[in-house]
Amino acid sequence: MALQRKLTGMERDLEAIQGKLDDLNQEATKLGEEHPSQKPEIQAGLAEIQEVWEDLNNTMKAREESLGEAGKIQGFLRDLDDFQSWLSRTQTAIASEDNPTSLTEAERLLAQHQNIRNEVDNYKEDYQKMRAVGEEVTQGQTDAQHMFLSQRLQALDTGWNELRQMWENRRHLLAQAFDFQTFLRDVKQAEGFLNNQEYVLSHTEMPSTLQGAEAAIKKHEDFLTTMDASEDKISGVVETGRKLMSEGNANSDKIQEKTDSIHERHQKNRRAATELLAKLKDNRELQHFLQDSQELTLWINEKMLTAQDLSYDEARNLHSKWQKHQAFMAELGSNKDWLDKIDKEGKALVCEKPELEPVVTQKLADLHRLWEELESTTQTKAQCLFDANRAELFTQSCSSLDSWLKNLSGQLQSDDFGKDLTSVNILLQKQQMLENQMEVREKEVEALQSQALALSQEDSNTVEVDTKQRGVQDRFQLLLDPLRARRMKLLASKEEHQFNRDLEDEILWVKERMPLATSMDHGKDLPSVQLLMKKNQTLQKEIQGHQPRIDDIQAHGLTMRRGRGEEEDGGAGPLEGRLAELRDMWSQLISEGEQRHGRLTEAHRAQQFYADAAEAEAWMGEQELHMMSDEKAKDEQSATAMVKRHQGVEQALEDYAQTIHQLANSSRLMVTGEHPESERITMRQAQVDKLYAGLKDLAEERRGKLQERLRLCQLKKEVDDLEQWISEREVVAGSHELGQDYEHVTMLRDRFREFARDTSAIGQERVDSVNALADELIDSGHPENATVAEWKDGLNDAWADLLELIDTRTQMLSASYELHRFHQDAKETLGRIQEKSTQLPEELGRDLNTVQHLHRQHTTYEHDIQALSGQVRQVQEDASRLQKAYAGEKAEDIQKHDRSVAEAWSALLSASDARCQLLLDTVEKFRFFNMVRDLMLWMDGVNLQIDAHENPRDVSSAELVITNHQDIKAEIEARADSFTSCIEMGSSLLAKNHYASEEIREKLKQLDDKRDEINNKWQEKMGWLQIVLEVLQFGRDASVAESWLASQEPIVRTAELGGNVDEVESLIKRHEAFEKLAAGWEERFGLLEKLTTLEEQDRKRRREEEERLRRPPTPPPPEPEVVQPTQEEAQDTDAGTSLDQTTLDQSVSVNGVHSDPDTSQDSETESVNGPGRERDSGLAASSEPGARIEPLPSATLPSKVSEPSGGEQMEGMLCRKHEMESFSKKAASRSWQNVHCVLRKDSLGFYKDSKSAAAGIPYHGEVPVSLTEAVCEVAHDYKKRKHVFKLRLSEGKEFLFQAKDDPEMNTWIRSIAASISGGSAAERSPSAPKGLSRAMTMPPISPISPNSGEAGGVTMRNKEGKERDREKRFSFFGKKK
């Protein structure tokens, strides 16, 4: 973005340059015309400038395109980073493990999760755009950056898909949690219901009264209703739980438990409620039975008191008492059913509910006992009353009954059957009373019969009693038929009177409705017409509802007429006339109702038209008053509001045309239909049309006036706003502030430029717009033309004054800007010069790279300084220009700033040059030091090669070692030129009086000393190798001689002399051949007897020792203080000495110096030439401190650092992969792991790092693997990684190891192979001496301790032992077996 902004700035500069180029073109054309001779040169220069200008433009375009592409890529990467960051945050938010513990929390989490989904959906468009941009960016690109970008896009796709999948999974979990929490809430409610049900069921008691039982049943039924109402909720909870379990909810176990518990409790409560209801019903039946029993018991007790009344001793009221008792007995007999009913209910209750048998049986027994007592008491009383005065009682009863029968006979003979319905009903009530009395009297007649029978048995006057009784009974029977006949006549009379009453009622009803149907009142206005229509509709509905009643009456009348006999045919005329009258009146009523409905409909249409016309006239009159208003707007806002309001009125007027059209259609239809009020309707419609046309004309006129007023108000507002704007701009343009400093004046100038630009552009446009509007109003003949022209002139004058002020202010700010810019540029230039002076560092660096880096920085620093030169030059040019324009204090100030900048610039250039020279000297110094260091390091390496302990075992290996040592000499000589150039460089630096001359001189001295030391060491090592070569050559020759002697010895020692001449001659010839051969070997034995260099050095050392011992002792000089070596140095010295001695011993032993055990028994200390000289003395001399040689490994062999040694041979970091667990089983984990490997003897251990290896903490507790019979080789079949080798163990395990490069891999393979072969050799021959090989041609070292007296050392030879026994002279060599 910064580069793009800078490029934009450059484009603006190019636009300015384009203007200058145009000026140059014009000026070139002008100069060409004025100077034709120089026109080609001018054109050439102009063409060159134009070409450079085009190149610059092309470069700018290319740069703009590249920056645009880079900006697009950077924007895409930024958006990609932001999107991936959002994706990561969103995945983290979705991957939350929060589980809701309540329904509210579940709802909250679901809402949050849904918000995340909405956010993801909102980001979907960004993702698609990013994918499209990414594909566009990476399309056709194969470089690493774009490939990495493609991988990021693939990862983005994966993350986006995973995000949506994660959201779905999380939503599923949250939905399950929400369902579970909702289920728990419903479970809690259901448990509350069940708890209440269980409480009610467990605390319900059986009531002890019938009312309590009824109330308990009702309460329990209400409870059952509540249970039924809650059953849906409980069943819903159970169904919900089973549904959740079938859907595999995560909390299925808890849901199963809750569901089973609720279902079991609900079933249990339902069974308990059913059982309780059955118990309550049983209890109600029991209480009902007990109440009935109690009522019957109370009634029996009450009747018992009546039956026990014995006040019947007076004769005057004896008959009435007898009658009452008869009635009491009848009542008792009638209530016998009551007892039977209770007894039946009790038995049924006992059969249905055996558990109630004790209570019911006891109650029934008590009732039967009381009833029997009452019956016996009643019978006793009746017998007592009858016995008191039987005859008198019988006579009185017959007389009383006979008089009642006479009275009844007179009533039955009456012809009065009622004159109307009321009287008939009264007679029927009396008839019913007589029938009830007849039933009572019938029982009295039966009682008289029983009394007469009793009297006939007791009294002699039987005939009289029977006569009276039969007379009463006959008269009673004769009255039964008249009584029934009179009842039938009364019923027939009631039916006739009832029909007449209904017929009269219907005729009266029709007469009452007839005036409403025939009314000619049609209403005077719309509400009255609507009210009459409603009444008429009500009347028609009543007529329709009364039609079945009329039909019933007609049918009933026809039935009555048919049912009467022929004797009554004369009375059918009035009835038929009344029925015909009813039919006629009913038809007339229906017809009149329909006609009135038609008349009211027409009247409603007319009144509706009048009402609509009146409403239209009222509305148009209101609008007319509004349009005739003379109100004028005061400003644009009110004028606009009035125009909008009038537009609304016009729109309403246009919309009202539909209403006028509907009125016209309605009137035309009524006139066409010959409405009674057609003329009035036509006149009203004409008035409405005329009023509407006039209203439209007024609206058009009103709109024109409002538009003119609005335009005038708009002009006034524009003029006022523009004058206010000009006055505000004049305040800014008339300011005299010129700025306090450069920033201030720059800000003022930029702001005023923007102000002037905006003012010129906006103001001119607004002035032109107002002038055009004013001219338009004047040209259109506006009533306010003079006012408009005055406004226009005043506005133009104010605008001209403003432009003049702007020009003056611009010139003043430009002059002030030039002065302040010079001061600012001078300060900035001086500040940058001082800043560069402070940035000049004093550090010279610690090595060559640092110094070179500092030198490059200084070069950049000098380039930056050169960039300042342009600013300094510009400041000087501006100073010279401004000094001509200003005088006085301002001119002195300008000169002062110019002088300060020039002095600071000169000082900066001087300091920079000094710093550059110092850095160059430092670079030379460190280059010299690097050369010295490289040569010293090389000499250290050569020193190590020379000091290497090389153990040649035979002549060829010794010659090879000498050849390698000579190669070291050639390498030293090849380095001579490097030494020469280094010394020359140091000498040249010393000749230049370098500031580090002391250090350089010291380095030169160290280099010379080290070089001399290397040469001396090489000479010493070369001498030692020559000695070893002579010893090995002697051993080789001695071995050959020994072999020859061993082969010829049987010839010399044989005792065979021959059994005949031929054998003797053959033996002589063989012996002669032997002597010739021995003469040829004599020279070889003579060479063997020649002293080697080692023996000569030993002899010289012994002589010097003997001479020193023969000298007289001299006092020793004072011993200087010797610093005792540390323990480590002493150990190193001892180790070096023992190693040298071992090397020489092994060299001699390998080549046959030591004899085998058989030979050493014959000659323990004798040598070939005699026992006077022992070869071990020479070897011992070589182990003295003066003769000690410490050879280093050859330069062509691996150094001691890379070669494993001792117990811990090699260690380092490797990348390991466990490939196979056994021969046929792959490892469980086959991933690559970085481990620290430690190679020891016969084992390879793995650790996390070097610290863990030092602490003995294995990697993941792994036991070091054994390398016995293991195989280590390069993994050629593994192609996924480079530098990989594999290790296969004996038990079948296989490991892959990756090194950082091939040399490291080869080093590890050699080290592991060496460890494997060393361990195998040690196992095969544990008694074999170390350091020997089967390839050696010399006998092995005899395992004899050097401290023993046997031939443990090398026996030296001398010339004095020549005359020893020849037979034993070669006993030094072992015999072959």
Side-chain angles (χ1 to χ4, degrees), residues 263 476 615 671 755:
H263 184 67
F476 185 83
E615 183 180 356
V671 171
F755 167 79

Side-chain angles (χ1 to χ4, degrees), residues 42 104 184 306 346 366 409 412 429 441 589 612 696 708 846 874 883 910 998 1043 1133 1180 1192:
I42 295 173
T104 305
L184 291 181
T306 303
D366 295 340
S409 176
L412 294 177
Q429 291 178 359
R441 294 299 180 177
L589 179 63
D612 294 340
K696 291 188 71 174
E708 290 180 354
R846 294 173 292 181
Q874 183 65 38
Q883 284 178 3
S910 301
E998 294 297 331
S1043 299
T1133 304
L1192 293 173

Side-chain angles (χ1 to χ4, degrees), residues 502-533:
D502 294 340
L503 182 61
E504 292 297 332
D505 291 342
E506 294 302 320
I507 293 173
L508 181 61
W509 186 87
V510 172
K511 289 180 178 180
E512 289 177 353
R513 269 63 179 175
M514 188 63 72
L516 295 176
T518 59
S519 174
M520 300 303 293
D521 183 13
H522 300 152
K524 299 179 179 180
D525 52 11
L526 182 63
S528 61
V529 172
Q530 291 176 346
L531 179 61
L532 291 175
M533 289 186 71

Side-chain angles (χ1 to χ4, degrees), residues 314-505:
E314 296 181 0
R316 60 184 182 200
N317 59 357
L318 184 63
H319 182 70
S320 63
K321 286 183 178 292
W322 170 253
Q323 289 180 343
K324 289 181 180 179
H325 190 69
Q326 291 294 324
F328 176 77
M329 292 178 66
E331 180 182 3
L332 191 64
S334 62
N335 285 320
K336 186 69 163 61
D337 297 336
W338 191 1
L339 178 61
D340 296 338
K341 178 182 177 182
I342 292 176
D343 186 62
K344 185 177 180 181
E345 290 177 354
K347 292 179 179 179
L349 187 62
V350 170
C351 293
E352 293 177 1
K353 308 295 178 184
E355 64 272 10
L356 302 177
E357 183 178 2
V359 179
V360 175
T361 304
Q362 180 66 30
K363 200 68 178 177
L364 288 175
D366 295 340
L367 286 175
H368 282 285
R369 180 179 55 80
L370 292 174
W371 185 264
E372 290 174 357
E373 291 179 0
L374 178 61
E375 282 185 340
S376 62
T377 304
T378 302
Q379 292 294 331
T380 302
K381 183 177 179 180
Q383 187 65 34
C384 290
L385 286 174
F386 184 75
D387 292 342
N389 194 352
R390 295 182 179 180
E392 184 65 22
L393 181 61
F394 178 78
T395 303
Q396 290 181 358
S397 297
C398 289
S399 299
S400 176
L401 187 58
D402 188 36
S403 61
W404 182 82
L405 290 173
K406 289 180 179 180
N407 186 19
L408 179 61
S409 176
Q411 292 180 2
L412 294 177
Q413 293 177 0
S414 174
D415 295 332
D416 184 13
F417 297 106
K419 298 179 180 180
D420 53 15
L421 184 62
T422 304
S423 61
V424 171
N425 289 331
I426 293 173
L427 292 175
L428 280 174
Q429 291 178 359
K430 290 181 179 180
Q431 180 71 18
Q432 183 66 33
M433 293 175 61
L434 290 176
E435 289 177 356
N436 293 335
Q437 290 176 2
M438 284 292 290
E439 292 178 358
V440 175
R441 294 299 180 177
E442 184 178 6
K443 294 180 180 180
E444 291 181 1
V445 170
E446 293 175 356
L448 285 176
Q449 185 178 2
S450 62
Q451 291 177 5
L453 181 61
L455 288 175
S456 63
Q457 294 177 358
E458 296 179 0
D459 193 358
S460 58
N461 195 8
T462 306
V463 177
E464 184 180 358
V465 172
D466 292 337
T467 302
K468 290 181 179 181
Q469 188 267 335
R470 287 193 185 91
V472 172
Q473 187 174 3
D474 292 340
R475 284 192 294 271
F476 185 83
Q477 293 295 329
L478 290 174
L479 289 178
L480 290 178
D481 293 335
L483 183 64
R484 284 193 291 273
R486 183 172 176 78
R487 182 174 183 80
M488 293 300 295
K489 291 179 179 179
L490 287 175
L491 290 175
S493 177
K494 180 181 178 181
E495 183 180 2
E496 182 181 358
H497 287 296
Q498 183 66 45
F499 174 74
N500 291 331
R501 168 73 64 84
D502 294 340
L503 182 61
E504 292 297 332
D505 291 342

Side-chain angles (χ1 to χ4, degrees), residues 1210 1274 1285 1299 1301-1312:
M1210 191 172 183
V1274 179
F1285 64 96
D1301 51 17
D1302 285 335
E1304 185 182 15
M1305 179 186 71
N1306 295 330
T1307 302
W1308 275 100
I1309 293 174
R1310 286 198 304 269
S1311 301
I1312 295 174

